[in-house]
Amino acid sequence: MTSGRVLADIAELASVLRERANTQLTYDVQDSSFVEIGHFRFPDGWQTTDGTRVGAIRFELPASYPNTPPSVAVPAGMRYHGQQTQAMQPTRAWPSENWVAFEPDYGQWNPAADGLLTALAAIERRLRDPRPQPP
């Protein structure tokens, strides 16, 4: 992982998130290599266990980032119209039981051009269409 690239991607993401109400960005690229967007407003149809649409999104950055896109997780209690979706992978191991793996719609990842903003856009696409048609 190139620390300069990671920090530049985080700064770019932070700049975009400043325009959104109440989102919070936390990260650790030294020990556990994650970036977390807190107070993220999920689209209509999504709810947390407390009945709100506000939760978190977590990016786990692999050692090969940006050559490999980040893994993504959402809160384990997040539901779309009361159910988990095809994009959620509850059987996939995740570092904490508070999270469930979430499959974003990355399409073709280009490490020279794609980064955390691409990952956020991919997540938002999948959240708007959480039940993609099989290929």
Side-chain angles (χ1 to χ4, degrees):
M1 181 177 347
T2 308
S3 62
R5 167 68 190 269
V6 171
L7 294 176
D9 285 1
I10 289 170
E12 187 177 40
L13 181 62
S15 176
V16 167
L17 291 176
R18 271 192 220 85
E19 299 174 15
R20 297 185 183 193
N22 299 321
T23 56
Q24 296 176 341
L25 186 66
T26 57
Y27 61 92
D28 178 355
V29 295
Q30 296 298 323
D31 297 322
S32 53
S33 299
F34 76 87
V35 176
E36 187 175 312
I37 302 171
H39 298 282
F40 179 86
R41 180 168 290 284
F42 285 78
D44 287 339
W46 288 94
Q47 282 189 329
T48 62
T49 54
D50 64 6
T52 69
R53 288 182 18 219
V54 178
I57 294 174
R58 186 175 177 102
F59 302 101
E60 293 285 335
L61 303 176
S64 58
Y65 180 86
N67 293 324
T68 304
S71 297
V72 178
V74 296
M78 185 61 67
R79 298 289 182 265
Y80 182 70
H81 294 292
Q83 299 179 350
Q84 287 190 328
T85 71
Q86 293 175 352
M88 298 170 83
Q89 302 174 358
T91 58
R92 183 170 154 204
W94 197 262
S96 165
E97 69 272 358
N98 298 329
W99 298 97
V100 63
F102 188 84
E103 190 66 38
D105 180 12
Y106 281 131
Q108 195 70 7
W109 182 266
N110 176 355
D114 295 333
L116 292 174
L117 283 181
T118 307
L120 178 60
I123 292 165
E124 289 176 325
R125 271 192 308 276
R126 184 53 50 94
L127 288 170
R128 286 189 304 272
D129 184 18
R131 297 178 188 181
Q133 298 298 318

